[in-house]
Amino acid sequence: MSLLNRTAGALYRRPRLRLSLLLTAPLLWLAVLYLGSLSVLFVSAFWTTDSFTSEVVKVWSTDNFHELFTVPVYRQVILRSIGVALAVTVLCAVIAFPLAFYTARVAKPRRRPLLVVAILTPLWASYLVKVYAWRLILSQGGLADWMLKPFGLSGPGFGLPATVLTLTYLWLPYMVLPIHTALEQLPANLLDASADLGARAGRTFRSVVLPMVLPSVAAGSIFTFSLSLGDYITVQIVGGKTQLIGNLVYSNIELNLPMAAALGTVPVVVIVVYLLAMRRTGALSSL
Amino acid sequence: MEGIAIQLRDLRKSFGDTTAVAGVDLEIKDGEFFSMLGPSGSGKTTVLRMIAGFESPTGGTVELAGQDVTGLAPFERDVHTVFQDYALFPHMTVEANVAYGLKVRGVPKTERLARARTALAEVRLEGYGTRRPAQLSGGQRQRVALARALVGRPRVLLLDEPLGALDLKLREQMQVELKALQREVGITFVFVTHDQEEALTMSDRIAVFDQGRIQQVGTPAEVYERPATPFVASFVGTSNLLEGESAERIVGTPGTYSIRPEKIRVLKDSAEPDDPDHESPDHESPDRDTPDQESPDHESAAGTVAEVVYLGDSTRFLVDLDAGGRLTALQQNLETSAEDVAAYRGSRVRLQWHRRHTVHVPDPR
């Protein structure tokens, strides 16, 4: 007991020691595993491969990046990946907003936590299980086809639309949650004040609710955008022949590691640009 | 233009099982500075919110300028509100906040900006138009909220404890400014407050609320000098009631009586056989002039000083009466110092006041 007390007292008098004990492990983790591997990625992106032996040649060169921008397939895949990420983000925002409006402001306060849990439940299920479930839904003669048949339509099948649809389903909770929180925290008296000054519901929504919730939509979009941009499993399962950046990285790892690294830096750069753009909306402070 | 701005008839509001407003009838005149005074939970804010249209009444009607608006939405009423915590739109500049009501009503941009600037000048905030509410102090936000509510020149301005969040100095300054502004623009102000001093200082008339009902409506002087119920007597000003047996012994007839503390004189009781060793402080009597001893116009009561509270400009004596009960007397510190009055603690005194200051308070129950 007295030893414990003395230790506690010694720690109490040495704030720097306390801080270092607290942060050493996480900082090591961050520096070695995260920043370390990221810098290895960047450095190796500037190496090349011997085309006969597939051995990595550790000579500085920008050939890989030159190839990225000149070979049409690479360009197409990069643009397609960004397009998929944007489409998923927009779809998530469009679906999440009314949903969050209901859970945060329309539903009875007692039910709200329950509804939030319900929205988060899919996150508890395995990623693969969910994606394979979508594969079943979208397969030929599957649930989508069966439901659309009475209307003379058929499901989207496997391909780009299926990929967007499945990714939207997967990342939706990440969009709903920040919007729900923002709407829940929106002071009721701002809505009162708007009505008091003569605004109808539509005007209040456009002029007060939407601008105040927009940073949270941007915050949610950071999740949906970066998660979509990095995904390569969903597209393999429901994407048919569609290829995204992740697939190219995956297929290059064995034969041309420096090229895979160069491809891997693309989403990193895109996401940094995206984050910088979102910072202007104030999204980073509402994360 | 002595019209009626607001008419409430048997207004009621319940939230589930709790009754917030239990039947309020009220008439507020055009151009009046009208205060609704009461403790928290007395229903005053709910009444205000029903006038604004944020709450719909469980029963009764609200009329604005003779028109029944009970079922109308807030945006259909010619009434603007200054909220307790200002409710400024944080994502808009000060100017955009003030111009919002005009924009919503389709006033052209150049005109609404000009009017917003005038309104900001009215509340002495010229040059603050491009700032955000977060960059302003509490008092400045208060003024922006005021300008925003006044710029559309509503028929009635509702103010929900607008000075509650300000510190004392700023609050006193804003009280004076608000009153001046109201005189200048001539709009009916309905002012909700729990601060009796604020209500007394600013209002033309006051309605005192308790438990969802109006206890009394009157001018500040009427409410203060002639409280209609024991609640009003104790909530407005210092509670000073004579009740039951002691009232019967002192006043002569049973009942509840209110005597304002500043009307009562504290006299050193010379009839008391004093301790000869104890130096009597009566040469420093807080009263300068000797009152007529047993004048028929005066009521008097003997007692012991239980506590002396020195307040700087005045002193409060808490006196336990021989007849039972306790009265508070307030004396100006004209000649006396803190030491002088402290000597009164525990000594025998006689309290004296003019008969006309004994106000019979009918108990409604």
Side-chain angles (χ1 to χ4, degrees):
Chain A
M1 190 58 206
S2 74
L3 181 70
L4 194 65
N5 267 343
R6 255 182 299 156
T7 322
L11 277 177
Y12 184 83
R13 285 185 293 275
R14 292 176 184 76
R16 276 166 174 281
L17 183 66
R18 256 186 305 161
L19 201 64
S20 55
L21 282 177
L22 188 71
L23 289 182
T24 308
L27 278 180
L28 271 177
W29 177 276
L30 196 71
V32 175
L33 290 175
Y34 181 68
L35 293 178
S37 49
L38 203 61
S39 30
V40 169
L41 178 84
F42 280 133
V43 170
S44 53
F46 291 97
W47 291 337
T48 47
T49 313
D50 186 307
S51 44
F52 290 110
T53 61
S54 283
E55 297 249 320
V56 173
V57 182
K58 294 179 181 173
V59 175
W60 184 267
S61 118
T62 54
D63 288 358
N64 291 330
F65 289 99
H66 186 72
E67 217 173 310
L68 272 188
F69 293 113
T70 48
V71 177
V73 179
Y74 286 141
R75 237 186 15 218
Q76 270 172 22
V77 169
I78 288 169
L79 288 178
R80 186 188 299 140
S81 299
I82 295 173
V84 165
L86 284 176
V88 169
T89 298
V90 169
L91 270 175
C92 277
V94 169
I95 298 171
F97 207 102
L99 204 60
F101 195 82
Y102 179 79
T103 60
R105 294 214 86 99
V106 182
K108 292 202 176 85
R110 266 189 317 142
R111 284 210 199 126
R112 285 174 198 167
L114 210 68
L115 288 168
V116 172
V117 169
I119 285 165
L120 295 181
T121 321
L123 295 181
W124 302 350
S126 152
Y127 173 99
L128 280 177
V129 169
K130 286 182 286 184
V131 180
Y132 272 107
W134 273 98
R135 188 181 164 87
L136 282 179
I137 291 170
L138 298 167
S139 63
Q140 203 167 14
L143 192 65
D145 279 354
W146 177 75
M147 280 175 70
L148 291 167
K149 208 172 176 182
F151 306 101
L153 301 165
S154 61
F158 300 138
L160 198 59
T163 308
V164 171
L165 195 66
T166 307
L167 288 174
T168 302
Y169 166 80
L170 285 175
W171 312 139
L172 187 63
Y174 294 98
M175 184 63 98
V176 177
L177 212 57
I179 301 180
H180 168 89
T181 310
L183 283 171
E184 201 176 34
Q185 288 171 352
L186 196 70
N189 66 8
L190 289 186
L191 307 184
D192 280 349
S194 178
D196 185 69
L197 292 164
R200 281 156 207 283
R203 161 64 88 170
T204 300
F205 182 79
R206 262 180 298 135
S207 298
V208 179
V209 177
L210 206 55
M212 290 196 65
V213 175
L214 220 50
S216 295
V217 177
S221 83
I222 291 171
F223 292 116
T224 58
F225 184 83
S226 56
L227 287 170
S228 301
L229 200 62
D231 191 273
Y232 69 101
I233 299 173
T234 296
V235 67
Q236 277 181 5
I237 298 172
V238 299
K241 287 177 183 149
T242 314
Q243 286 212 311
L244 298 179
I245 296 179
N247 306 111
L248 291 188
V249 174
Y250 185 75
S251 59
N252 269 305
I253 276 183
E254 295 289 318
L255 296 172
N256 190 347
L257 194 64
M259 191 62 214
L263 280 162
T265 55
V266 173
V268 175
V269 170
V270 171
I271 284 164
V272 166
V273 170
Y274 191 77
L275 282 177
L276 289 175
M278 287 302 113
R279 194 176 68 162
R280 297 173 60 103
T281 67
L284 298 187
S285 49
S286 60
L287 270 178
Chain B
M1 47 172 280
E2 268 295 276
I4 302 299
I6 299 172
Q7 176 99 50
L8 308 178
R9 288 184 219 271
D10 195 30
L11 200 62
R12 291 162 186 279
K13 179 72 186 179
S14 315
F15 298 99
D17 293 337
T18 45
T19 305
V21 179
V24 163
D25 290 278
L26 192 60
E27 202 176 273
I28 299 172
K29 297 187 202 94
D30 264 331
E32 205 171 17
F33 197 119
F34 192 91
S35 288
M36 303 205 282
L37 173 67
S40 56
S42 62
K44 56 193 191 309
T45 296
T46 309
V47 169
L48 192 87
R49 289 178 62 81
M50 286 193 282
I51 298 173
F54 304 136
E55 309 279 358
S56 47
T58 315
T61 57
V62 179
E63 284 172 32
L64 291 176
Q67 187 206 355
D68 187 343
V69 298
T70 316
L72 296 188
F75 52 78
E76 294 170 303
R77 305 182 184 202
D78 193 12
V79 163
H80 289 342
T81 308
V82 177
F83 292 84
Q84 186 166 16
D85 48 5
Y86 321 137
L88 299 178
F89 304 122
H91 59 290
M92 296 182 194
T93 61
V94 164
E95 210 166 67
N97 261 286
V98 176
Y100 183 76
L102 302 174
K103 185 178 174 186
V104 163
R105 256 174 289 147
V107 176
K109 191 168 185 182
T110 43
E111 188 192 332
R112 68 172 186 252
L113 285 183
R115 281 174 67 181
R117 276 193 206 110
T118 317
L120 281 172
E122 259 171 10
V123 295
R124 305 198 289 109
L125 275 181
E126 300 99 326
Y128 285 82
T130 55
R131 300 209 193 174
R132 300 260 165 182
Q135 294 168 291
L136 302 182
S137 71
Q140 288 168 335
R141 280 180 220 178
Q142 174 61 65
R143 288 160 205 253
V144 176
L146 206 57
R148 184 178 70 175
L150 275 173
V151 70
R153 286 294 182 263
R155 191 176 186 94
V156 173
L157 189 74
L158 306 175
L159 301 104
D160 185 8
E161 307 223 10
L163 310 181
L166 305 179
D167 61 57
L168 184 64
K169 274 272 184 298
L170 201 55
R171 195 156 72 220
E172 285 172 349
Q173 185 192 340
M174 281 301 288
Q175 285 173 10
V176 177
E177 280 183 32
L178 255 185
K179 181 73 191 167
L181 192 67
Q182 191 260 341
R183 263 193 223 109
E184 198 181 301
V185 296
I187 290 174
T188 311
F189 276 35
V190 181
F191 187 90
V192 162
T193 179
H194 64 265
D195 183 336
Q196 45 104 5
E197 210 178 297
E198 204 165 89
L200 291 174
T201 333
M202 301 171 73
S203 321
D204 295 322
R205 285 196 305 152
I206 300 172
V208 184
F209 279 72
D210 185 41
Q211 297 179 356
R213 286 196 173 79
I214 292 181
Q215 302 285 314
Q216 185 174 5
V217 182
T219 63
E222 280 165 5
V223 170
Y224 185 78
E225 306 272 349
R226 300 276 147 197
T229 67
F231 174 81
V232 177
S234 58
F235 191 75
V236 183
T238 309
S239 167
N240 226 16
L241 293 178
L242 278 179
E243 287 169 306
E245 216 174 293
S246 67
E248 192 169 354
R249 279 200 220 161
I250 294 164
V251 184
T253 42
T256 306
Y257 299 91
S258 160
I259 305 122
R260 291 303 179 192
E262 71 279 6
K263 314 285 190 201
I264 301 175
R265 283 201 257 206
V266 182
L267 306 169
K268 183 77 191 163
D269 197 344
S270 43
E272 166 73 12
D274 220 341
D275 182 355
D277 298 335
H278 184 257
E279 200 201 323
S280 153
D282 66 346
H283 59 281
E284 296 269 28
S285 165
D287 251 358
R288 289 171 311 152
D289 48 344
T290 325
D292 10 15
Q293 285 301 312
E294 285 305 318
S295 151
D297 297 341
H298 283 77
E299 226 103 56
S300 85
T304 312
V305 176
E307 193 51 79
V308 177
V309 186
Y310 178 72
L311 300 170
D313 59 344
S314 54
T315 303
R316 186 180 294 149
F317 297 87
L318 275 65
V319 179
D320 286 330
L321 303 178
D322 295 348
R326 172 180 276 194
L327 279 182
T328 305
L330 193 73
Q331 308 278 292
Q332 289 299 309
N333 289 337
L334 293 172
E335 310 275 336
T336 42
S337 69
E339 292 76 32
D340 298 335
V341 294
Y344 264 76
R345 193 170 285 124
S347 63
R348 297 280 306 159
V349 291
R350 203 156 49 80
L351 301 180
Q352 198 174 53
W353 63 93
H354 198 280
R355 208 173 279 279
R356 67 168 184 275
H357 296 311
T358 310
V359 180
H360 179 243
V361 183
D363 200 316
R365 275 145 296 198

